[in-house]
Amino acid sequence: MIKKISVLIIVLFCVNTYAQKTNASPYSILGIGEETASKTVEEMSMGGVGTVSSYEYQLSFTNPATYSNFRLTTYSIAGQNRGLKVKDASTSQTSSNANLSYLSLGIPLGEKAGFAFGLQPNTSVGYNIRNTILDTDGEVSEISVYEGDGGTNRVFLGFGYKVANGLSIGVEGDYVFGNINNSITNQLRDVQLGTKYVTDARIDGFGLKTGFLYKKDLKNELYLSLGGAFSLENELESKGNEYLYSVSFVNGEIPRDTILNISSTGTYKKPLKTSLGVGFGKARKWAASLDYSSQNAVELSGNLVNRNPKLAFRKSSKVSLGGFYIPKYNSISSYWDRVIYRAGLRMEQTGIMVDGTGNGTQFNDVDDFGISFGVGLPMGNEVSRLNLGFEFGKRGTTANGLIEENYFNFKLGLSLSNKWFRKREIN
């Protein structure tokens, strides 16, 4: 066990995975980037449900009240490969990237409590958008190129406690940090020099989440679960610099005269996010869960205000449905009877709006739909598992001059569970 912990600590502090580019979506231009779903491989494989944790050895990032269910020390690590096809009405392009999804450790504290901590991506930025304006004769009169990279990560620590029979509450705090770089290059026809506007920002701030979970045992080993998680309103601060200078395009992009060089600040305000869930199932056999979450529009100020009039925020919401099935969790004759089979789907209003006309008057919502499935493969005779998750989805549409994304996510996770503190036996 000590060797396993040492390996986990080495990975946490020595692998610079979180500095890599983890996004290629044009929608990541907004604010501090595209929000990374705070889901384990197991949750993603079931459509993203997790407000009511359905399996006792499963770590959930959605509701801190579920930490009270820990019976074994569980540490998890996962990675993801994301394939993306972006297209409009006339063209398309593909990309893929891989990144570390999370590192976490959950520890039971007696029979009624438990806590968890870890590190995972929070948002990601990675886009390159070219906007061309034509004159009345159909000739190019102006070209603007929007580029960005970076993102934020979060370190979290949560605690769950059983306050009464079947009722648990929890609280989780996190610290968000990261760097984001954005630029806008503009060139006009018949003008010798273009301009480039660049911002670099350091993002940081704290957040707090609370939650509850109620589980009622029914007849024939059936149970009913109700839960809720509430990410409280918080602000992230942005501190950085803004630059504006002229550029020459004769032999590549060559900077010329500096027009602006100032320090700048901004804020990223996230309203209260509410997640509610209900689950029904049979212990160590099967379960089905339904989750609903909603959040008002994010508010930006200062150097985080978007300079592209085509994009804006609005209220977001998501519905997820999923579950799992285990043929026989304690089978000794068949390995595949001990495998956990998972599946789910989700429908989401992302809170992103796009104006295909470019004049800021005709915005359309960007909706997201995904289906997922996966397996939890037992490792030896223990409850540790190798988890595989697959997700197919579509976001946006090509109608009204908009952009459609078709994606395929593959996640691979390792969940190792063991009992750290055992009473010494004397023969």
Side-chain angles (χ1 to χ4, degrees):
M1 175 60 68
I2 297 299
K3 292 182 179 179
K4 293 179 181 178
I5 300 171
S6 300
V7 170
L8 182 62
I9 294 174
I10 291 172
V11 172
L12 274 168
F13 290 97
C14 298
V15 179
N16 190 25
T17 306
Y18 287 87
Q20 61 189 319
K21 183 176 179 180
T22 62
N23 202 306
S25 170
Y27 296 121
S28 65
I29 191 175
L30 280 172
I32 60 173
E34 181 183 4
E35 185 174 357
T36 302
S38 181
K39 301 293 181 180
T40 63
V41 180
E42 298 94 318
E43 292 173 309
M44 185 271 279
S45 302
M46 298 185 292
V49 296
T51 307
V52 289
S53 183
S54 302
Y55 192 61
E56 59 190 301
Y57 302 116
Q58 177 181 312
L59 180 65
S60 171
F61 297 142
T62 305
N63 186 353
T66 61
Y67 300 156
S68 65
N69 291 332
F70 290 145
R71 291 295 170 265
L72 299 174
T73 298
T74 301
Y75 46 106
S76 302
I77 181 172
Q80 171 181 275
N81 184 275
R82 179 180 176 89
L84 185 67
K85 181 178 181 180
V86 180
K87 65 179 182 179
D88 57 21
S90 58
T91 61
S92 66
Q93 65 180 44
T94 60
S95 64
S96 65
N97 52 68
N99 65 285
L100 191 65
S101 294
Y102 55 82
L103 296 161
S104 63
L105 177 65
I107 301 175
L109 298 174
E111 296 294 325
K112 292 186 176 183
F115 75 96
F117 64 92
L119 171 69
Q120 61 183 163
N122 181 61
T123 64
S124 58
V125 177
Y127 63 88
N128 187 306
I129 303 173
R130 183 184 181 93
N131 185 35
T132 302
I133 298 177
L134 306 179
D135 59 20
T136 55
D137 297 323
E139 299 293 330
V140 177
S141 63
E142 182 180 353
I143 297 175
S144 297
V145 178
Y146 301 82
E147 296 179 285
D149 62 74
T152 62
N153 309 302
R154 77 179 194 111
V155 178
F156 66 91
L157 173 64
F159 174 79
Y161 181 75
K162 291 186 177 181
V163 296
N165 186 28
L167 178 63
S168 300
I169 59 174
V171 62
E172 179 181 284
D174 64 19
Y175 173 65
V176 176
F177 62 96
N179 293 279
I180 296 173
N181 302 294
N182 297 291
S183 69
I184 304 174
T185 305
N186 181 264
Q187 184 178 15
L188 299 174
R189 186 178 60 192
D190 301 328
V191 177
Q192 182 179 7
L193 297 178
T195 59
K196 188 164 188 174
Y197 174 72
V198 178
T199 63
D200 61 71
R202 166 73 180 179
I203 312 294
D204 67 349
F206 294 90
L208 187 66
K209 181 193 297 184
T210 63
F212 76 90
L213 177 66
Y214 176 74
K215 182 177 179 181
K216 174 67 174 179
D217 291 326
L218 307 175
K219 295 181 179 180
N220 301 320
E221 297 185 329
L222 298 176
Y223 65 86
L224 176 68
S225 295
L226 301 173
F230 310 92
S231 297
L232 306 185
E233 179 181 298
N234 71 305
E235 283 190 1
L236 302 179
E237 293 186 354
S238 170
K239 297 180 181 180
N241 299 282
E242 298 183 42
Y243 309 94
L244 179 63
Y245 53 88
S246 60
V247 292
S248 171
F249 300 100
V250 176
N251 294 309
E253 186 180 297
I254 302 176
R256 298 291 292 271
D257 300 322
T258 299
I259 303 171
L260 177 71
N261 183 354
I262 61 172
S263 299
S264 62
T265 60
T267 59
Y268 181 86
K269 184 176 181 180
K270 295 183 65 176
L272 171 70
K273 180 178 181 180
T274 301
S275 300
L276 301 174
V278 57
F280 180 70
K282 185 175 183 179
R284 298 186 178 182
K285 186 66 177 181
W286 61 268
S289 300
L290 176 67
D291 278 13
Y292 172 78
S293 64
S294 65
Q295 183 180 44
N296 287 330
V298 171
E299 298 178 16
L300 308 176
S301 68
N303 60 12
L304 293 177
V305 175
N306 187 260
R307 268 72 179 182
N308 188 339
K310 288 189 173 185
L311 300 169
F313 282 116
R314 61 151 291 171
K315 182 178 180 179
S316 62
S317 63
K318 179 170 63 175
V319 176
S320 300
L321 176 66
F324 72 85
Y325 174 71
I326 309 175
K328 189 176 182 181
Y329 81 95
N330 59 354
S331 174
I332 60 175
S333 60
S334 173
Y335 173 84
W336 297 106
D337 280 349
R338 292 186 286 119
V339 171
I340 302 178
Y341 300 90
R342 308 181 178 103
L345 59 87
R346 60 177 175 80
M347 295 172 286
E348 181 177 3
Q349 289 184 328
T350 62
I352 299 173
M353 296 189 298
V354 181
D355 177 19
T357 64
N359 56 22
T361 60
Q362 188 178 342
F363 284 96
N364 294 270
D365 294 329
V366 176
D367 296 330
D368 194 343
F369 175 78
I371 58 174
S372 57
F373 60 93
V375 292
L377 303 176
M379 298 178 62
N381 294 322
E382 301 180 1
V383 293
S384 300
R385 293 184 182 272
L386 179 66
N387 296 296
L388 307 178
F390 307 86
E391 182 182 39
F392 301 86
K394 186 184 81 167
R395 178 166 57 173
T397 176
T398 57
N400 301 321
L402 304 183
I403 294 175
E404 178 182 302
E405 294 181 351
N406 293 276
Y407 55 85
F408 169 67
N409 296 332
F410 167 64
K411 277 191 175 184
L412 174 65
L414 183 62
S415 178
L416 302 176
S417 299
N418 208 326
K419 190 169 185 178
W420 277 16
F421 306 106
R422 301 175 185 268
K423 291 183 179 180
R424 183 179 299 274
E425 296 181 0
I426 301 176
N427 295 326

